[in-house]
Amino acid sequence: MFIDARKLPAGTLLDCDICILGAGAAGITLARELAGSPYKVCLLESGGFDIDQATQDLYKGEIAGRYYPPLDTARLRFFGGSTNHWDGNCTPLDALDFENRDWVDYSGWPISRSDVDPFYARAQPYCQLGPYRYDPAYWAPLAGGPALPLPPEKATTNIAQLSPPTRFGEVYRDDIGRAANVTAVLHANVLEIVPRSDDASRIGHVRVAVLKGAAFTVTGRHFVLAMGGIENPRQLLLSNTSAPAGLGNQNDLVGRFFMEHPVVDGATFQPSRKDLNLKLYGETVFGERALTAFLQVSDAALRRHKLTNMRAPLDPTTRYRASVGVEAFDELADELRGGPAPMSNWLDVKEVIEDFDMVLEAGARKLLHRHLFASAEDDVCFTMDTMVEQTPNPASRVTLAEERDVFGQRRVRLDWQIEQKTEDNLWRCFEIIGAALGQAGVGRLRSWREHAVRLWGKERLNYGFHHMGTTRMHQNASRGVVDADCRVHGLKNLYVAGSSVFPTGGHVPPTLTIVALAIRLADHLKRIAGERS
Amino acid sequence: MKIARRSLLKAGSGLVAFAALGRTATAEPASDDGAARLVALLGNRHAAIRLGRRHLSRHPEERDAAQLAARLTTRLAPAGGPIRRAALRRSLAADFAAGRVTALDGWILANTEVDLCALAALKAPGTGATLSPPPRHDG
Ligand SMILES: Cc1cc2nc3c(=O)[nH]c(=O)nc-3n(C[C@H](O)[C@H](O)[C@H](O)COP(=O)(O)OP(=O)(O)OC[C@H]3O[C@@H](n4cnc5c(N)ncnc54)[C@H](O)[C@@H]3O)c2cc1C
């Protein structure tokens, strides 16, 4: 059942067994898993069924330190959350990502890949994906081409399944609406999670405000915070009536370790043969689904060289971008400007002449903002827009800003920081993949390390819009905000769902893991709610 | 995300050059001159010359064509006889497997192909004029 909070009378008190705060991928999965259970579930969502500017405005925040896109564009605040604009790229985390890697500070999940495997399998249909198979050999016949024969001690191929992408708010709206035990309250903005006055280790209720309506209260036995990787810590920090530093923040960990997946256009791959079969690395469509493959440094090489993870997809690029004539022209121009010029002029001139159509093309694009030659768009090589694992860094963090939103709540402030070792790891990974490609005799890799400053800078760096790490999972309360069950340390009935619980993020877009962990949490809640009733 | 014009030019640079280098020549080398036969293994001499010059400008001590040719011949035809493309392929794979790899202009290359590029550069007309003088050997 759906309720519009704007129509609730002042002073309304809703009561439930399990109260879910936020209806994105995590919250909707939880509610759907709990549908049909004997427990009364309340799903509180800030937005309605569509985007609304005033609600979206609540997501505005301050960017401190490294550039990041405005926070009200990096996520969406209505039913379905950021899955209303996600891309649907899904892969499970690697087994190594869960491990305590002695070369990666703060690494190590308290659970392993095999603990999560059964939940990944159940998460696949949620994201409208195919079978829980990520081995390239399984998909190669469908794609019409094998994985590259890379030496396994250096590099491997991995699969990404591509969700349609599932708009959780649309696809599961009817299921939620039909579930007799689930009440989804729209336009309900949670302001504070409040512990019981007689027992500070238990949450008693949440205070909820409505943009054009009256405030109300929801009481419950269990609460799950599922507002996304930036809002989850904000909400804990704002909930400071009984704990001045914020809930779960007794060790000053809430909001720290913010991680993204920087996407760096850091290398190109030049196949050695035009007819090299790279179909697996293109997009293979099957029904409404699709998949693609990417290269990564193998588990063995990551361990041996003590590196963090990354993924390098192969995106065909055009003759124009790959033009040697344009390069030669560029170098001639450098020489004329008196810049460093190790090359002989005649060779550059010859190449400019030989590739003159592409040089003209470059001129036309620059001067006229238009293309001259259709052939400029012919594919000749592959760029590698590489998704990079960030090393966990306590200084990279979400805090509260001084500015306030319309409810008088302090806005969020993001200070995203990337450690130099994250960058260094990437360049080393390219060297390893380059050697693997060469060893396999399939081509060569060119790393753009010499352009590192620009590639990691504001103009060129891209983002996954994956917000991770801010309520990290650790069995030890002094090192994590939640335990292995995603329960906030020190609180008996408050849980966190979403990528904020990830201690490390691998190279993997987070949503499949978010959904898997939400299913796991739903099972846990069913168990413990059952025990108590 | 908008890519700055100049970075776009740079980002594309050299790829076609290498395409021809990576594809080693299809015909077996026929020349009598040892160095020329080695250079003929390259699919695109221009590309190789570019890279070779870059390498030599960083390593002027390598500017010795005879030494490079001898090194390559030992590697590619240790028992003497003709130099075959298959031997080059094997040598490249062995270099990559053993980590005998050089990053040249960003390309991750086997040392054998870097030597070939350097040799091509030394054999190309006009190279001498563009490189700094060779190091002096005093003894
Ligand atoms: C452009 C883009 C592309 C992406 N592509 C991919 C991809 O290809 N693969 C991938 O795995 N991930 C991708 N993501 C990330 C993905 O969207 C998120 O991982 C996912 O949506 C997170 O789910 P969540 O439920 O934790 O949070 P969200 O989806 O953000 O949901 C949080 C919900 O909480 C609600 N809420 C917030 N504050 C309050 C409050 N105070 N009271 C009540 N409700 C509140 C919000 O309205 C929202 O509905 C992408 C993201 C973006 C922006």
Side-chain angles (χ1 to χ4, degrees):
Chain A
M1 171 179 45
F2 283 100
I3 294 182
D4 186 335
R6 294 171 299 190
K7 298 187 178 137
L8 290 175
T12 296
L13 180 77
L14 299 174
D15 181 49
C16 62
D17 295 309
I18 300 170
C19 182
I20 304 165
L21 319 178
I28 287 177
T29 303
L30 272 159
R32 194 164 173 270
E33 285 291 308
L34 293 167
S37 72
Y39 311 112
K40 244 170 94 181
V41 176
C42 188
L43 175 62
L44 300 177
E45 168 54 42
S46 165
F49 287 127
D50 276 310
I51 191 158
D52 155 70
Q53 203 42 57
T55 305
Q56 191 62 25
D57 186 80
L58 298 167
Y59 261 168
K60 283 196 171 133
E62 186 184 318
I63 303 294
R66 170 177 271 276
Y67 172 78
Y68 197 73
L71 295 178
D72 55 331
T73 62
R75 53 219 176 117
L76 287 175
R77 191 160 168 144
F78 64 101
F79 192 69
S82 292
T83 67
N84 287 300
H85 64 169
W86 77 314
D87 290 332
N89 196 313
C90 294
T91 307
L93 286 159
D94 295 333
L96 178 62
D97 295 328
F98 290 92
E99 287 182 25
N100 186 352
R101 292 165 279 170
D102 58 14
W103 62 96
V104 183
D105 291 344
Y106 308 104
S107 66
W109 293 50
I111 52 177
S112 68
R113 163 74 184 260
S114 57
D115 291 328
V116 189
D117 267 328
F119 303 101
Y120 272 135
R122 286 166 64 187
Q124 291 278 122
Y126 266 99
C127 299
Q128 299 174 294
L129 303 170
Y132 183 44
R133 297 294 300 262
Y134 285 84
D135 40 329
Y138 177 84
W139 295 106
L142 187 70
L148 291 170
L150 302 172
E153 72 280 7
K154 290 195 173 73
T156 53
T157 293
N158 197 346
I159 297 292
Q161 292 194 35
L162 307 175
S163 162
T166 307
R167 307 284 173 225
F168 277 65
E170 288 169 24
V171 174
Y172 300 115
R173 176 172 166 174
D174 287 349
D175 288 0
I176 302 288
R178 272 196 302 264
N181 67 321
V182 177
T183 303
V185 190
L186 301 178
H187 306 287
N189 295 284
V190 176
L191 295 190
E192 188 177 3
I193 304 166
V194 187
R196 280 164 52 158
S197 50
D198 59 342
D199 180 359
S201 70
R202 278 187 191 284
I203 303 303
H205 68 276
V206 290
R207 284 200 300 118
V208 189
V210 186
L211 278 173
K212 287 179 190 149
F216 66 101
T217 302
V218 183
T219 54
R221 285 166 49 209
H222 303 280
F223 294 81
V224 184
L225 181 56
M227 297 179 181
I230 292 176
E231 218 58 14
N232 280 349
R234 178 186 179 215
Q235 191 59 61
L236 290 174
L237 295 172
L238 286 171
S239 299
N240 59 1
T241 301
S242 69
L247 289 175
N249 199 25
Q250 52 279 14
N251 293 304
D252 187 25
L253 288 171
V254 171
R256 290 193 183 273
F257 296 97
F258 174 84
M259 294 174 289
E260 244 282 8
H261 284 125
V263 181
V264 184
D265 185 8
T268 38
F269 168 56
Q270 179 67 59
S272 53
R273 300 194 317 268
K274 226 179 167 173
D275 61 350
L276 186 69
N277 186 338
L278 290 168
K279 285 192 179 143
L280 186 62
Y281 302 85
E283 193 168 303
T284 301
V285 178
F286 59 111
E288 279 186 31
R289 306 165 190 145
L291 66 99
T292 186
F294 53 86
L295 305 177
Q296 64 180 101
V297 175
S298 66
D299 179 288
L302 290 172
R303 289 177 198 276
R304 189 167 63 252
H305 299 285
K306 298 190 178 299
L307 294 168
T308 36
N309 225 330
M310 52 83 88
R311 67 163 63 187
L314 300 179
D315 297 318
T317 196
T318 61
R319 192 174 157 220
Y320 162 68
R321 279 200 67 188
S323 162
V324 68
V326 173
E327 180 194 22
F329 183 83
D330 210 31
E331 289 192 358
L332 273 175
D334 267 352
E335 286 181 38
L336 292 175
R337 276 188 226 108
M343 311 302 297
S344 75
N345 285 345
W346 69 264
L347 192 67
D348 286 341
V349 172
K350 192 164 182 296
E351 279 168 353
V352 169
I353 293 167
E354 279 177 2
D355 210 13
F356 197 61
D357 53 346
M358 288 302 107
V359 178
L360 272 183
E361 176 74 28
R365 287 180 193 228
K366 190 168 187 175
L367 295 174
L368 312 171
H369 300 290
R370 54 188 285 211
H371 300 194
L372 286 182
F373 302 106
S375 69
E377 300 302 335
D378 288 349
D379 296 339
V380 290
C381 66
F382 295 82
T383 58
M384 294 170 147
D385 267 347
T386 301
M387 203 170 266
V388 180
E389 175 176 20
Q390 226 192 300
T391 48
N393 172 9
S396 177
R397 66 190 296 204
V398 166
T399 52
L400 297 177
E402 289 310 316
E403 194 190 318
R404 291 174 188 260
D405 65 19
V406 309
F407 295 121
Q409 303 267 92
R410 286 171 72 184
R411 289 194 186 275
V412 76
R413 177 177 187 270
L414 174 64
D415 182 354
W416 180 33
Q417 296 193 23
I418 301 178
E419 294 178 297
Q420 183 59 40
K421 56 190 169 196
T422 296
E423 289 188 32
D424 297 343
N425 281 341
L426 174 68
W427 303 120
R428 185 76 190 99
C429 285
F430 280 140
E431 285 169 19
I432 293 167
I433 291 183
L437 292 165
Q439 189 175 335
V442 293
R444 297 290 180 276
L445 178 144
R446 188 179 198 182
S447 142
W448 297 107
R449 184 176 195 157
E450 61 183 290
H451 303 295
V453 173
R454 195 171 55 223
L455 291 173
W456 286 88
K458 177 181 168 184
E459 292 296 322
R460 291 290 300 275
L461 191 69
N462 227 321
Y463 316 89
F465 298 101
H466 307 154
H467 308 141
M468 302 172 288
T470 48
T471 63
R472 65 199 326 264
M473 191 194 287
H474 201 283
Q475 62 272 48
N476 182 338
S478 66
R479 300 187 60 188
V481 176
V482 301
D483 67 12
D485 291 324
C486 297
R487 188 177 56 80
V488 176
H489 283 295
L491 292 166
K492 296 196 177 88
N493 62 345
L494 177 62
Y495 295 81
V496 181
S499 46
S500 61
V501 304
F502 296 7
T504 52
H507 59 73
V508 171
T511 308
L512 184 68
T513 307
I514 290 173
V515 173
L517 291 181
I519 297 169
R520 181 172 171 271
L521 177 55
D523 282 6
H524 176 80
L525 288 170
K526 280 188 222 170
R527 244 184 345 261
I528 60 159
E531 278 165 16
R532 283 181 48 85
S533 60
Chain B
M1 180 141 301
K2 206 170 133 258
I3 297 175
R5 171 84 206 126
R6 177 148 176 90
S7 62
L8 186 65
L9 293 183
K10 273 290 176 198
S13 62
L15 296 172
V16 171
F18 186 73
L21 173 70
R23 288 176 210 130
T24 49
T26 47
E28 295 292 352
S31 162
D32 286 340
D33 164 20
R37 279 191 301 147
L38 285 162
V39 169
L41 288 166
L42 294 163
N44 179 333
R45 280 189 54 209
H46 289 154
I49 291 167
R50 288 176 82 82
L51 290 171
R53 285 185 172 156
R54 218 153 274 196
H55 177 67
L56 291 172
S57 68
R58 267 198 263 152
H59 296 279
E61 74 281 3
E62 301 255 298
R63 292 185 51 226
D64 183 336
Q67 205 174 63
L68 278 172
R71 190 156 81 201
L72 282 162
T73 309
T74 313
R75 236 182 268 159
L76 299 176
I83 294 167
R84 303 243 173 245
R85 280 186 299 118
L88 174 61
R89 276 198 298 271
R90 276 196 302 275
S91 176
L92 297 181
D95 276 358
F96 282 120
R100 292 189 296 270
V101 171
T102 299
L104 183 53
D105 213 10
W107 291 108
I108 309 299
L109 301 176
N111 286 353
T112 301
E113 60 196 335
V114 173
D115 282 353
L116 274 173
C117 291
L119 187 60
L122 289 172
K123 287 279 153 188
T127 298
T130 61
L131 290 171
S132 50
R136 279 182 43 204
H137 295 278
D138 291 332

